[in-house]
Every structure is written in structure tokens, then in C-alpha cells.
Amino acid sequence: MARTLTDRFVRTAAPGFYRDGGCPTLNLRVTPARTRQWVQRLAVHGRERQLGLGGYPLVPLAEAREQALSNRRLARAGGDPCALKRAQRAPTFAAAVDTVIAIHRDGWKGVGKSEAQWRASLRDYAMKRLGSKPVDRITTADVMAVLVPIWVEKHETARRVRQRISAVMQWAVAEGYRPDNPAGDAIGAALPKRNPPRVHHRALPFREVAGAVRAVRSSVRAGWATKAAFEFLVLTAARSGEVRGADWSEMNLEAGTWTIPRGRMKGAREHRVPLSDRALEILWEAHGHTGGTGLVFPTARHRPVSDSTLSKLLRELGVKAVPHGFRSSFRDWAAECTDAPREVCELALAHVNSDRVEAAYRRSDLFERRRALMQEWADYLA
């Protein structure tokens, strides 16, 4: 038996479909996104029809019941409230776009720019198919026809076009022009799957790395921490964030070991780094600046050197690489210029073994073999 809806229930109801006992043809639809829409089901000329009456709270319970009662009277008298509503009220998609832009315009940060982007994207990709259609006649197939041709090749543009069509359709639902959003969740599974392109970090050929190190070392504009952090990054083949956030508590200068805790590692595993002679020299120089407490490579404000600072320095010196790219340079050098086994090279980069069986049997981190490899790398750069 249907319950008589109350304002409190309408305001707090969980996702679902609820019939109003106080008005038998009126229903409340609560979507997973917690939007609340009034839907009327009534017989028109012997056929059951579904009519959207707007969204709550824009249309309160009392008004929804009043609309539903009026539609029932019209249908009982032989009229068609669905056709009447379309003829009298439903604007075209193009007109709805103008209305939605006007509603949101004052809330946009860059008003002129945002409006221009909205209009340009919908003009270029949606208006030909949707512009002249009343908003209640637009189907999921119409939206798919707009998005599918650009979903893979121009994904970011397609994503924004979908968002903007969806915003217009949500407005149409709230105004009672239609009961659903044809650009909403329903089309998510139907759109083509896409694999985002893999981004490779710019890296130098390993033969050019020593020159880059010398250029940074001789820079007069960079501070000592920036220059030291960069060279230490190259020598250890570590990730930028691991070096920039290095703390003296992680360093054992006597043992020549840097132990990075799992909380700072990409793979959430503690990683021991063997330090070459030159890497230890850099640490002793840093010790003179910091006293051996806190960050190893702090800025003047006692904060970590930023990755953008390192990247900017490389650009200013004409080095066509990013900090992370020097890991690739090291890997190429190790493959072409040494006899080090693959697993030693991968462990030097702290790569996690994706082969679970192999990883289960390998208990050693091959530390001493990695120490020899890192010293050979330092000697090569020198």
C-alpha cells in the first residue's frame, strides 16, 4: 500500500521510487545522486503515459499534487496533458542553453570566458543534432550521436560537452519538461572505452647526463640545496619526491646507506639505497649547511625544494629533460654499458616485481650488487 508522502519524507528519502498515497498517480523518484523528481503516471487515451512534473524542492509536494490532479482531470475529459505540455511549454535545446547560461552566469569566475567556452563547444558539437529539438524530445540516442564520434579522439572536449548537455537536461527535469536526464549515468556504460595515452617523461641520452650534472653544479643562480638535490637525485636514480623529502633520520653516513621509509615510497615498501662515494660527499656538504637535522636539502624557508624549481633550473640551462627522466637515463646506461642483471637494475629503481611467484621466492634486495652498480654509475658520470 502506498504511503502518503510528507514534506519531511520527500526531503530525506533514500534513492528509490515512491508512490504518493495522497495522490495515486503521483510518484517521487530519488536518484542515486539524491536528486528528487516528480513523475506522474496516468492513462491518456487508454495508454499509460509518464509525465515529469519538475524537481523538488523547486516544485514542493503541494504543488506537485496540484499539477497531478489537474492532469488527471484533463485526461479524464479526453485531453492529453503530455501533448499540451509539449506544445505550450517545452523550449528547444538552443533556447534552453540560453536560459541555463543566464542562470549560471553570475556564479562563474571568468564570466565571459566560461560563457564563450560553453557556447563554442555546444555550437561545434551539439547544436546540429540537438539545437532545434524540444528538450522533452531529446533521447539518449541523440546524445550518443553527439558524443561517440569525439569520445576517444577528443575525450576532454567530449567530456565537457556531455557535462554541458547534462546541465541543460537537469534544468529541463527541474522545470518539469521531462522526467529524466538523457546525458546522465545511463549512457556511461554505452560510451566507448578508452585507454589514456601513456605519458613518458622527457629524458636525456645517458651520454649527456654528465654534462647536465656539470651544468647544474656550475650554475650561479641556483642555491646549494637545489644543485645538491639534483646531483643526488641523478646519482641515486631515485624519484624526485624521495630526494626532495629526504630527512637526516633516513641517512647512515657511516654505513653509506639511505633507508627510505615505506610511507614515502611509491610502492609503500621500505627501500634501501646504497650511496656511492660522490653521493656521500654531497651529504657531508649538506651536513655542513644543516647540522645534520631535519631535511637534507632544505630551502631558505626550511621547506623541501620543489619539483618545479628543479624543472625550471633544467629549462634555464637548456637541459631537455625533467627530473624524473634521469631514472630512464640510468636504466638505459645500465642495460647498454654494464653486465648487471635485470633484477639488480630494477631493484636499483625500486620497481616492484609484478611476478608474484618470482617475488615470493626472492628474499634478498641484492644490496651489495646494487652498491657496486651505483658506484659504477657515479664513476661513469665523473
Side-chain angles (χ1 to χ4, degrees), residues 91-97 122-123 125-135 137-147 161-162 164-166 168-169 182-183:
T92 64
F93 179 79
V97 168
L122 294 177
R123 178 197 66 221
Y125 300 103
M127 286 302 181
K128 183 176 180 180
R129 176 88 182 198
L130 307 179
S132 61
K133 280 196 168 190
V135 290
R137 296 293 185 91
I138 293 173
T139 65
T140 300
D142 292 323
V143 180
M144 288 287 289
V146 170
L147 297 178
V161 169
R162 179 188 175 186
R164 290 159 186 170
I165 294 174
S166 181
V168 175
M169 292 295 102

PDB file of all heavy atoms in Angstrom, residues 91-97 122-123 125-135 137-147 161-162 164-166 168-169 182-183:
ATOM      1  N   PRO A  91      10.814  24.261 -24.411  1.00  0.00           N
ATOM      2  CA  PRO A  91      11.648  25.052 -25.323  1.00  0.00           C
ATOM      3  C   PRO A  91      12.588  24.147 -26.104  1.00  0.00           C
ATOM      4  O   PRO A  91      12.776  22.972 -25.771  1.00  0.00           O
ATOM      5  CB  PRO A  91      12.441  25.932 -24.359  1.00  0.00           C
ATOM      6  CG  PRO A  91      12.596  25.076 -23.147  1.00  0.00           C
ATOM      7  CD  PRO A  91      11.321  24.279 -23.036  1.00  0.00           C
ATOM      8  N   THR A  92      13.185  24.697 -27.121  1.00  0.00           N
ATOM      9  CA  THR A  92      14.197  23.936 -27.854  1.00  0.00           C
ATOM     10  C   THR A  92      15.484  23.863 -27.024  1.00  0.00           C
ATOM     11  O   THR A  92      15.670  24.622 -26.071  1.00  0.00           O
ATOM     12  CB  THR A  92      14.527  24.599 -29.192  1.00  0.00           C
ATOM     13  OG1 THR A  92      15.113  25.893 -28.936  1.00  0.00           O
ATOM     14  CG2 THR A  92      13.284  24.754 -30.053  1.00  0.00           C
ATOM     15  N   PHE A  93      16.332  22.950 -27.416  1.00  0.00           N
ATOM     16  CA  PHE A  93      17.608  22.819 -26.717  1.00  0.00           C
ATOM     17  C   PHE A  93      18.381  24.130 -26.788  1.00  0.00           C
ATOM     18  O   PHE A  93      18.973  24.569 -25.789  1.00  0.00           O
ATOM     19  CB  PHE A  93      18.419  21.682 -27.335  1.00  0.00           C
ATOM     20  CG  PHE A  93      19.763  21.488 -26.697  1.00  0.00           C
ATOM     21  CD1 PHE A  93      19.899  20.817 -25.494  1.00  0.00           C
ATOM     22  CD2 PHE A  93      20.910  21.981 -27.302  1.00  0.00           C
ATOM     23  CE1 PHE A  93      21.143  20.642 -24.892  1.00  0.00           C
ATOM     24  CE2 PHE A  93      22.168  21.806 -26.720  1.00  0.00           C
ATOM     25  CZ  PHE A  93      22.276  21.136 -25.512  1.00  0.00           C
ATOM     26  N   ALA A  94      18.389  24.778 -27.954  1.00  0.00           N
ATOM     27  CA  ALA A  94      19.121  26.039 -28.113  1.00  0.00           C
ATOM     28  C   ALA A  94      18.594  27.107 -27.158  1.00  0.00           C
ATOM     29  O   ALA A  94      19.369  27.835 -26.522  1.00  0.00           O
ATOM     30  CB  ALA A  94      19.034  26.524 -29.558  1.00  0.00           C
ATOM     31  N   ALA A  95      17.260  27.190 -27.033  1.00  0.00           N
ATOM     32  CA  ALA A  95      16.677  28.177 -26.121  1.00  0.00           C
ATOM     33  C   ALA A  95      16.983  27.817 -24.671  1.00  0.00           C
ATOM     34  O   ALA A  95      17.247  28.697 -23.837  1.00  0.00           O
ATOM     35  CB  ALA A  95      15.165  28.247 -26.339  1.00  0.00           C
ATOM     36  N   ALA A  96      16.986  26.517 -24.373  1.00  0.00           N
ATOM     37  CA  ALA A  96      17.296  26.072 -23.011  1.00  0.00           C
ATOM     38  C   ALA A  96      18.738  26.402 -22.643  1.00  0.00           C
ATOM     39  O   ALA A  96      19.036  26.755 -21.498  1.00  0.00           O
ATOM     40  CB  ALA A  96      17.040  24.573 -22.875  1.00  0.00           C
ATOM     41  N   VAL A  97      19.642  26.292 -23.610  1.00  0.00           N
ATOM     42  CA  VAL A  97      21.047  26.636 -23.363  1.00  0.00           C
ATOM     43  C   VAL A  97      21.156  28.103 -22.938  1.00  0.00           C
ATOM     44  O   VAL A  97      21.864  28.434 -21.981  1.00  0.00           O
ATOM     45  CB  VAL A  97      21.902  26.361 -24.615  1.00  0.00           C
ATOM     46  CG1 VAL A  97      23.287  26.988 -24.465  1.00  0.00           C
ATOM     47  CG2 VAL A  97      22.030  24.856 -24.852  1.00  0.00           C
ATOM     48  N   LEU A 122      29.208  23.666 -27.517  1.00  0.00           N
ATOM     49  CA  LEU A 122      27.881  23.174 -27.904  1.00  0.00           C
ATOM     50  C   LEU A 122      27.563  23.529 -29.357  1.00  0.00           C
ATOM     51  O   LEU A 122      26.921  22.746 -30.064  1.00  0.00           O
ATOM     52  CB  LEU A 122      26.818  23.752 -26.964  1.00  0.00           C
ATOM     53  CG  LEU A 122      26.919  23.274 -25.510  1.00  0.00           C
ATOM     54  CD1 LEU A 122      25.870  23.972 -24.656  1.00  0.00           C
ATOM     55  CD2 LEU A 122      26.759  21.757 -25.418  1.00  0.00           C
ATOM     56  N   ARG A 123      28.033  24.687 -29.811  1.00  0.00           N
ATOM     57  CA  ARG A 123      27.826  25.060 -31.216  1.00  0.00           C
ATOM     58  C   ARG A 123      28.545  24.080 -32.142  1.00  0.00           C
ATOM     59  O   ARG A 123      27.988  23.620 -33.150  1.00  0.00           O
ATOM     60  CB  ARG A 123      28.362  26.468 -31.446  1.00  0.00           C
ATOM     61  CG  ARG A 123      28.252  26.951 -32.913  1.00  0.00           C
ATOM     62  CD  ARG A 123      29.165  28.147 -33.122  1.00  0.00           C
ATOM     63  NE  ARG A 123      30.569  27.780 -32.986  1.00  0.00           N
ATOM     64  CZ  ARG A 123      31.485  28.524 -32.366  1.00  0.00           C
ATOM     65  NH1 ARG A 123      31.146  29.685 -31.802  1.00  0.00           N
ATOM     66  NH2 ARG A 123      32.726  28.118 -32.289  1.00  0.00           N
ATOM     67  N   TYR A 125      29.636  20.957 -31.577  1.00  0.00           N
ATOM     68  CA  TYR A 125      29.419  19.517 -31.486  1.00  0.00           C
ATOM     69  C   TYR A 125      27.978  19.088 -31.201  1.00  0.00           C
ATOM     70  O   TYR A 125      27.624  17.944 -31.483  1.00  0.00           O
ATOM     71  CB  TYR A 125      30.332  18.929 -30.395  1.00  0.00           C
ATOM     72  CG  TYR A 125      31.788  19.151 -30.675  1.00  0.00           C
ATOM     73  CD1 TYR A 125      32.507  20.131 -29.996  1.00  0.00           C
ATOM     74  CD2 TYR A 125      32.447  18.402 -31.640  1.00  0.00           C
ATOM     75  CE1 TYR A 125      33.848  20.343 -30.260  1.00  0.00           C
ATOM     76  CE2 TYR A 125      33.791  18.605 -31.909  1.00  0.00           C
ATOM     77  CZ  TYR A 125      34.486  19.581 -31.220  1.00  0.00           C
ATOM     78  OH  TYR A 125      35.814  19.804 -31.503  1.00  0.00           O
ATOM     79  N   ALA A 126      27.131  19.971 -30.647  1.00  0.00           N
ATOM     80  CA  ALA A 126      25.803  19.528 -30.227  1.00  0.00           C
ATOM     81  C   ALA A 126      24.649  20.168 -30.982  1.00  0.00           C
ATOM     82  O   ALA A 126      23.619  19.530 -31.198  1.00  0.00           O
ATOM     83  CB  ALA A 126      25.625  19.782 -28.724  1.00  0.00           C
ATOM     84  N   MET A 127      24.791  21.418 -31.383  1.00  0.00           N
ATOM     85  CA  MET A 127      23.646  22.151 -31.915  1.00  0.00           C
ATOM     86  C   MET A 127      23.091  21.567 -33.208  1.00  0.00           C
ATOM     87  O   MET A 127      21.871  21.592 -33.435  1.00  0.00           O
ATOM     88  CB  MET A 127      24.014  23.620 -32.122  1.00  0.00           C
ATOM     89  CG  MET A 127      24.103  24.416 -30.828  1.00  0.00           C
ATOM     90  SD  MET A 127      22.552  24.373 -29.908  1.00  0.00           S
ATOM     91  CE  MET A 127      22.990  25.393 -28.500  1.00  0.00           C
ATOM     92  N   LYS A 128      23.932  21.040 -34.059  1.00  0.00           N
ATOM     93  CA  LYS A 128      23.447  20.496 -35.332  1.00  0.00           C
ATOM     94  C   LYS A 128      22.426  19.393 -35.085  1.00  0.00           C
ATOM     95  O   LYS A 128      21.423  19.279 -35.795  1.00  0.00           O
ATOM     96  CB  LYS A 128      24.614  19.979 -36.163  1.00  0.00           C
ATOM     97  CG  LYS A 128      24.197  19.458 -37.532  1.00  0.00           C
ATOM     98  CD  LYS A 128      25.413  19.044 -38.345  1.00  0.00           C
ATOM     99  CE  LYS A 128      24.993  18.523 -39.718  1.00  0.00           C
ATOM    100  NZ  LYS A 128      26.167  18.106 -40.537  1.00  0.00           N
ATOM    101  N   ARG A 129      22.685  18.558 -34.081  1.00  0.00           N
ATOM    102  CA  ARG A 129      21.790  17.439 -33.782  1.00  0.00           C
ATOM    103  C   ARG A 129      20.673  17.831 -32.810  1.00  0.00           C
ATOM    104  O   ARG A 129      19.540  17.365 -32.941  1.00  0.00           O
ATOM    105  CB  ARG A 129      22.614  16.300 -33.167  1.00  0.00           C
ATOM    106  CG  ARG A 129      21.802  15.095 -32.699  1.00  0.00           C
ATOM    107  CD  ARG A 129      21.601  14.107 -33.791  1.00  0.00           C
ATOM    108  NE  ARG A 129      20.782  12.974 -33.362  1.00  0.00           N
ATOM    109  CZ  ARG A 129      20.736  11.817 -33.995  1.00  0.00           C
ATOM    110  NH1 ARG A 129      21.469  11.631 -35.088  1.00  0.00           N
ATOM    111  NH2 ARG A 129      19.971  10.834 -33.569  1.00  0.00           N
ATOM    112  N   LEU A 130      20.982  18.682 -31.842  1.00  0.00           N
ATOM    113  CA  LEU A 130      20.044  18.926 -30.748  1.00  0.00           C
ATOM    114  C   LEU A 130      19.382  20.300 -30.768  1.00  0.00           C
ATOM    115  O   LEU A 130      18.317  20.486 -30.171  1.00  0.00           O
ATOM    116  CB  LEU A 130      20.759  18.778 -29.397  1.00  0.00           C
ATOM    117  CG  LEU A 130      21.538  17.496 -29.146  1.00  0.00           C
ATOM    118  CD1 LEU A 130      22.183  17.546 -27.773  1.00  0.00           C
ATOM    119  CD2 LEU A 130      20.640  16.275 -29.277  1.00  0.00           C
ATOM    120  N   GLY A 131      20.002  21.283 -31.408  1.00  0.00           N
ATOM    121  CA  GLY A 131      19.592  22.674 -31.267  1.00  0.00           C
ATOM    122  C   GLY A 131      18.136  22.953 -31.472  1.00  0.00           C
ATOM    123  O   GLY A 131      17.504  23.671 -30.681  1.00  0.00           O
ATOM    124  N   SER A 132      17.530  22.399 -32.507  1.00  0.00           N
ATOM    125  CA  SER A 132      16.128  22.717 -32.828  1.00  0.00           C
ATOM    126  C   SER A 132      15.133  21.778 -32.169  1.00  0.00           C
ATOM    127  O   SER A 132      13.925  21.950 -32.317  1.00  0.00           O
ATOM    128  CB  SER A 132      15.929  22.665 -34.346  1.00  0.00           C
ATOM    129  OG  SER A 132      16.209  21.364 -34.848  1.00  0.00           O
ATOM    130  N   LYS A 133      15.625  20.778 -31.422  1.00  0.00           N
ATOM    131  CA  LYS A 133      14.714  19.815 -30.788  1.00  0.00           C
ATOM    132  C   LYS A 133      14.198  20.349 -29.463  1.00  0.00           C
ATOM    133  O   LYS A 133      14.967  20.903 -28.668  1.00  0.00           O
ATOM    134  CB  LYS A 133      15.430  18.488 -30.535  1.00  0.00           C
ATOM    135  CG  LYS A 133      15.539  17.587 -31.755  1.00  0.00           C
ATOM    136  CD  LYS A 133      15.888  16.168 -31.322  1.00  0.00           C
ATOM    137  CE  LYS A 133      15.719  15.211 -32.491  1.00  0.00           C
ATOM    138  NZ  LYS A 133      15.825  13.807 -32.052  1.00  0.00           N
ATOM    139  N   PRO A 134      12.889  20.168 -29.179  1.00  0.00           N
ATOM    140  CA  PRO A 134      12.400  20.487 -27.840  1.00  0.00           C
ATOM    141  C   PRO A 134      13.120  19.609 -26.817  1.00  0.00           C
ATOM    142  O   PRO A 134      13.440  18.446 -27.101  1.00  0.00           O
ATOM    143  CB  PRO A 134      10.905  20.147 -27.916  1.00  0.00           C
ATOM    144  CG  PRO A 134      10.573  20.204 -29.381  1.00  0.00           C
ATOM    145  CD  PRO A 134      11.807  19.732 -30.083  1.00  0.00           C
ATOM    146  N   VAL A 135      13.354  20.140 -25.661  1.00  0.00           N
ATOM    147  CA  VAL A 135      14.152  19.402 -24.678  1.00  0.00           C
ATOM    148  C   VAL A 135      13.488  18.096 -24.251  1.00  0.00           C
ATOM    149  O   VAL A 135      14.174  17.164 -23.837  1.00  0.00           O
ATOM    150  CB  VAL A 135      14.446  20.280 -23.445  1.00  0.00           C
ATOM    151  CG1 VAL A 135      15.409  21.390 -23.793  1.00  0.00           C
ATOM    152  CG2 VAL A 135      13.161  20.816 -22.820  1.00  0.00           C
ATOM    153  N   ARG A 137      12.015  16.048 -26.192  1.00  0.00           N
ATOM    154  CA  ARG A 137      12.106  15.077 -27.292  1.00  0.00           C
ATOM    155  C   ARG A 137      13.528  14.540 -27.480  1.00  0.00           C
ATOM    156  O   ARG A 137      13.758  13.689 -28.331  1.00  0.00           O
ATOM    157  CB  ARG A 137      11.636  15.730 -28.587  1.00  0.00           C
ATOM    158  CG  ARG A 137      10.180  16.150 -28.605  1.00  0.00           C
ATOM    159  CD  ARG A 137       9.254  14.946 -28.572  1.00  0.00           C
ATOM    160  NE  ARG A 137       7.856  15.324 -28.709  1.00  0.00           N
ATOM    161  CZ  ARG A 137       7.217  15.409 -29.874  1.00  0.00           C
ATOM    162  NH1 ARG A 137       7.872  15.184 -31.003  1.00  0.00           N
ATOM    163  NH2 ARG A 137       5.935  15.729 -29.899  1.00  0.00           N
ATOM    164  N   ILE A 138      14.471  15.057 -26.743  1.00  0.00           N
ATOM    165  CA  ILE A 138      15.863  14.613 -26.890  1.00  0.00           C
ATOM    166  C   ILE A 138      16.034  13.273 -26.182  1.00  0.00           C
ATOM    167  O   ILE A 138      15.652  13.107 -25.026  1.00  0.00           O
ATOM    168  CB  ILE A 138      16.836  15.658 -26.312  1.00  0.00           C
ATOM    169  CG1 ILE A 138      16.780  16.927 -27.166  1.00  0.00           C
ATOM    170  CG2 ILE A 138      18.264  15.121 -26.247  1.00  0.00           C
ATOM    171  CD1 ILE A 138      17.578  18.085 -26.608  1.00  0.00           C
ATOM    172  N   THR A 139      16.616  12.314 -26.894  1.00  0.00           N
ATOM    173  CA  THR A 139      16.769  10.961 -26.363  1.00  0.00           C
ATOM    174  C   THR A 139      18.232  10.658 -26.076  1.00  0.00           C
ATOM    175  O   THR A 139      19.138  11.393 -26.486  1.00  0.00           O
ATOM    176  CB  THR A 139      16.247   9.931 -27.374  1.00  0.00           C
ATOM    177  OG1 THR A 139      17.087   9.969 -28.549  1.00  0.00           O
ATOM    178  CG2 THR A 139      14.803  10.233 -27.779  1.00  0.00           C
ATOM    179  N   THR A 140      18.436   9.538 -25.391  1.00  0.00           N
ATOM    180  CA  THR A 140      19.802   9.075 -25.152  1.00  0.00           C
ATOM    181  C   THR A 140      20.526   8.834 -26.473  1.00  0.00           C
ATOM    182  O   THR A 140      21.717   9.106 -26.593  1.00  0.00           O
ATOM    183  CB  THR A 140      19.785   7.787 -24.308  1.00  0.00           C
ATOM    184  OG1 THR A 140      19.145   8.047 -23.060  1.00  0.00           O
ATOM    185  CG2 THR A 140      21.191   7.283 -24.049  1.00  0.00           C
ATOM    186  N   ALA A 141      19.807   8.333 -27.466  1.00  0.00           N
ATOM    187  CA  ALA A 141      20.411   8.092 -28.782  1.00  0.00           C
ATOM    188  C   ALA A 141      20.912   9.398 -29.398  1.00  0.00           C
ATOM    189  O   ALA A 141      21.957   9.424 -30.055  1.00  0.00           O
ATOM    190  CB  ALA A 141      19.403   7.420 -29.711  1.00  0.00           C
ATOM    191  N   ASP A 142      20.180  10.486 -29.201  1.00  0.00           N
ATOM    192  CA  ASP A 142      20.618  11.795 -29.709  1.00  0.00           C
ATOM    193  C   ASP A 142      21.940  12.208 -29.050  1.00  0.00           C
ATOM    194  O   ASP A 142      22.864  12.681 -29.713  1.00  0.00           O
ATOM    195  CB  ASP A 142      19.556  12.866 -29.442  1.00  0.00           C
ATOM    196  CG  ASP A 142      18.294  12.666 -30.254  1.00  0.00           C
ATOM    197  OD1 ASP A 142      18.410  12.250 -31.415  1.00  0.00           O
ATOM    198  OD2 ASP A 142      17.202  12.923 -29.714  1.00  0.00           O
ATOM    199  N   VAL A 143      22.007  12.051 -27.734  1.00  0.00           N
ATOM    200  CA  VAL A 143      23.226  12.432 -27.021  1.00  0.00           C
ATOM    201  C   VAL A 143      24.389  11.542 -27.442  1.00  0.00           C
ATOM    202  O   VAL A 143      25.518  12.015 -27.627  1.00  0.00           O
ATOM    203  CB  VAL A 143      23.003  12.359 -25.501  1.00  0.00           C
ATOM    204  CG1 VAL A 143      24.266  12.756 -24.757  1.00  0.00           C
ATOM    205  CG2 VAL A 143      21.843  13.269 -25.093  1.00  0.00           C
ATOM    206  N   MET A 144      24.139  10.256 -27.602  1.00  0.00           N
ATOM    207  CA  MET A 144      25.188   9.336 -28.059  1.00  0.00           C
ATOM    208  C   MET A 144      25.701   9.738 -29.437  1.00  0.00           C
ATOM    209  O   MET A 144      26.908   9.675 -29.706  1.00  0.00           O
ATOM    210  CB  MET A 144      24.651   7.909 -28.105  1.00  0.00           C
ATOM    211  CG  MET A 144      24.438   7.285 -26.736  1.00  0.00           C
ATOM    212  SD  MET A 144      25.978   6.835 -25.923  1.00  0.00           S
ATOM    213  CE  MET A 144      26.477   5.437 -26.931  1.00  0.00           C
ATOM    214  N   ALA A 145      24.796  10.166 -30.310  1.00  0.00           N
ATOM    215  CA  ALA A 145      25.202  10.573 -31.657  1.00  0.00           C
ATOM    216  C   ALA A 145      26.131  11.779 -31.625  1.00  0.00           C
ATOM    217  O   ALA A 145      26.996  11.943 -32.487  1.00  0.00           O
ATOM    218  CB  ALA A 145      23.969  10.881 -32.504  1.00  0.00           C
ATOM    219  N   VAL A 146      25.978  12.619 -30.613  1.00  0.00           N
ATOM    220  CA  VAL A 146      26.858  13.772 -30.451  1.00  0.00           C
ATOM    221  C   VAL A 146      28.219  13.351 -29.904  1.00  0.00           C
ATOM    222  O   VAL A 146      29.271  13.808 -30.376  1.00  0.00           O
ATOM    223  CB  VAL A 146      26.206  14.809 -29.504  1.00  0.00           C
ATOM    224  CG1 VAL A 146      27.215  15.898 -29.122  1.00  0.00           C
ATOM    225  CG2 VAL A 146      24.985  15.427 -30.153  1.00  0.00           C
ATOM    226  N   LEU A 147      28.226  12.445 -28.918  1.00  0.00           N
ATOM    227  CA  LEU A 147      29.452  12.154 -28.172  1.00  0.00           C
ATOM    228  C   LEU A 147      30.340  11.077 -28.793  1.00  0.00           C
ATOM    229  O   LEU A 147      31.572  11.185 -28.728  1.00  0.00           O
ATOM    230  CB  LEU A 147      29.085  11.731 -26.749  1.00  0.00           C
ATOM    231  CG  LEU A 147      28.377  12.772 -25.884  1.00  0.00           C
ATOM    232  CD1 LEU A 147      28.043  12.187 -24.524  1.00  0.00           C
ATOM    233  CD2 LEU A 147      29.237  14.024 -25.733  1.00  0.00           C
ATOM    234  N   VAL A 161      31.439  18.551 -23.244  1.00  0.00           N
ATOM    235  CA  VAL A 161      30.175  18.664 -23.982  1.00  0.00           C
ATOM    236  C   VAL A 161      29.091  17.864 -23.264  1.00  0.00           C
ATOM    237  O   VAL A 161      27.955  18.329 -23.101  1.00  0.00           O
ATOM    238  CB  VAL A 161      30.354  18.178 -25.431  1.00  0.00           C
ATOM    239  CG1 VAL A 161      29.001  18.033 -26.128  1.00  0.00           C
ATOM    240  CG2 VAL A 161      31.238  19.147 -26.214  1.00  0.00           C
ATOM    241  N   ARG A 162      29.446  16.662 -22.817  1.00  0.00           N
ATOM    242  CA  ARG A 162      28.460  15.850 -22.082  1.00  0.00           C
ATOM    243  C   ARG A 162      28.019  16.552 -20.805  1.00  0.00           C
ATOM    244  O   ARG A 162      26.822  16.566 -20.483  1.00  0.00           O
ATOM    245  CB  ARG A 162      29.066  14.482 -21.754  1.00  0.00           C
ATOM    246  CG  ARG A 162      28.105  13.601 -20.961  1.00  0.00           C
ATOM    247  CD  ARG A 162      28.768  12.334 -20.484  1.00  0.00           C
ATOM    248  NE  ARG A 162      27.869  11.571 -19.628  1.00  0.00           N
ATOM    249  CZ  ARG A 162      28.208  10.466 -18.968  1.00  0.00           C
ATOM    250  NH1 ARG A 162      29.433   9.989 -19.081  1.00  0.00           N
ATOM    251  NH2 ARG A 162      27.338   9.849 -18.204  1.00  0.00           N
ATOM    252  N   ARG A 164      27.880  19.689 -20.211  1.00  0.00           N
ATOM    253  CA  ARG A 164      27.044  20.847 -20.520  1.00  0.00           C
ATOM    254  C   ARG A 164      25.665  20.434 -21.018  1.00  0.00           C
ATOM    255  O   ARG A 164      24.655  21.064 -20.668  1.00  0.00           O
ATOM    256  CB  ARG A 164      27.783  21.742 -21.519  1.00  0.00           C
ATOM    257  CG  ARG A 164      28.975  22.433 -20.860  1.00  0.00           C
ATOM    258  CD  ARG A 164      30.035  22.933 -21.797  1.00  0.00           C
ATOM    259  NE  ARG A 164      31.170  23.439 -21.014  1.00  0.00           N
ATOM    260  CZ  ARG A 164      32.347  23.771 -21.515  1.00  0.00           C
ATOM    261  NH1 ARG A 164      32.562  23.657 -22.811  1.00  0.00           N
ATOM    262  NH2 ARG A 164      33.307  24.214 -20.724  1.00  0.00           N
ATOM    263  N   ILE A 165      25.604  19.378 -21.824  1.00  0.00           N
ATOM    264  CA  ILE A 165      24.294  18.856 -22.229  1.00  0.00           C
ATOM    265  C   ILE A 165      23.539  18.381 -20.996  1.00  0.00           C
ATOM    266  O   ILE A 165      22.342  18.639 -20.836  1.00  0.00           O
ATOM    267  CB  ILE A 165      24.454  17.697 -23.234  1.00  0.00           C
ATOM    268  CG1 ILE A 165      25.054  18.205 -24.553  1.00  0.00           C
ATOM    269  CG2 ILE A 165      23.106  17.028 -23.503  1.00  0.00           C
ATOM    270  CD1 ILE A 165      25.370  17.106 -25.542  1.00  0.00           C
ATOM    271  N   SER A 166      24.245  17.698 -20.099  1.00  0.00           N
ATOM    272  CA  SER A 166      23.624  17.187 -18.883  1.00  0.00           C
ATOM    273  C   SER A 166      23.071  18.322 -18.024  1.00  0.00           C
ATOM    274  O   SER A 166      21.973  18.204 -17.454  1.00  0.00           O
ATOM    275  CB  SER A 166      24.643  16.364 -18.079  1.00  0.00           C
ATOM    276  OG  SER A 166      24.065  15.848 -16.902  1.00  0.00           O
ATOM    277  N   VAL A 168      21.936  21.177 -19.039  1.00  0.00           N
ATOM    278  CA  VAL A 168      20.710  21.664 -19.685  1.00  0.00           C
ATOM    279  C   VAL A 168      19.558  20.695 -19.430  1.00  0.00           C
ATOM    280  O   VAL A 168      18.429  21.103 -19.121  1.00  0.00           O
ATOM    281  CB  VAL A 168      20.948  21.861 -21.195  1.00  0.00           C
ATOM    282  CG1 VAL A 168      19.651  22.247 -21.894  1.00  0.00           C
ATOM    283  CG2 VAL A 168      22.012  22.921 -21.444  1.00  0.00           C
ATOM    284  N   MET A 169      19.857  19.388 -19.514  1.00  0.00           N
ATOM    285  CA  MET A 169      18.809  18.398 -19.297  1.00  0.00           C
ATOM    286  C   MET A 169      18.351  18.363 -17.832  1.00  0.00           C
ATOM    287  O   MET A 169      17.178  18.126 -17.542  1.00  0.00           O
ATOM    288  CB  MET A 169      19.308  17.013 -19.729  1.00  0.00           C
ATOM    289  CG  MET A 169      19.534  16.873 -21.234  1.00  0.00           C
ATOM    290  SD  MET A 169      17.997  17.020 -22.189  1.00  0.00           S
ATOM    291  CE  MET A 169      18.151  18.700 -22.808  1.00  0.00           C
ATOM    292  N   PRO A 182      18.860  12.432 -20.288  1.00  0.00           N
ATOM    293  CA  PRO A 182      19.420  11.505 -21.278  1.00  0.00           C
ATOM    294  C   PRO A 182      20.936  11.568 -21.402  1.00  0.00           C
ATOM    295  O   PRO A 182      21.542  10.744 -22.106  1.00  0.00           O
ATOM    296  CB  PRO A 182      18.748  11.951 -22.584  1.00  0.00           C
ATOM    297  CG  PRO A 182      18.479  13.404 -22.378  1.00  0.00           C
ATOM    298  CD  PRO A 182      18.138  13.539 -20.922  1.00  0.00           C
ATOM    299  N   ALA A 183      21.580  12.543 -20.749  1.00  0.00           N
ATOM    300  CA  ALA A 183      23.044  12.619 -20.764  1.00  0.00           C
ATOM    301  C   ALA A 183      23.634  12.164 -19.438  1.00  0.00           C
ATOM    302  O   ALA A 183      24.817  12.357 -19.182  1.00  0.00           O
ATOM    303  CB  ALA A 183      23.491  14.053 -21.068  1.00  0.00           C
TER     304      ALA A 183
END
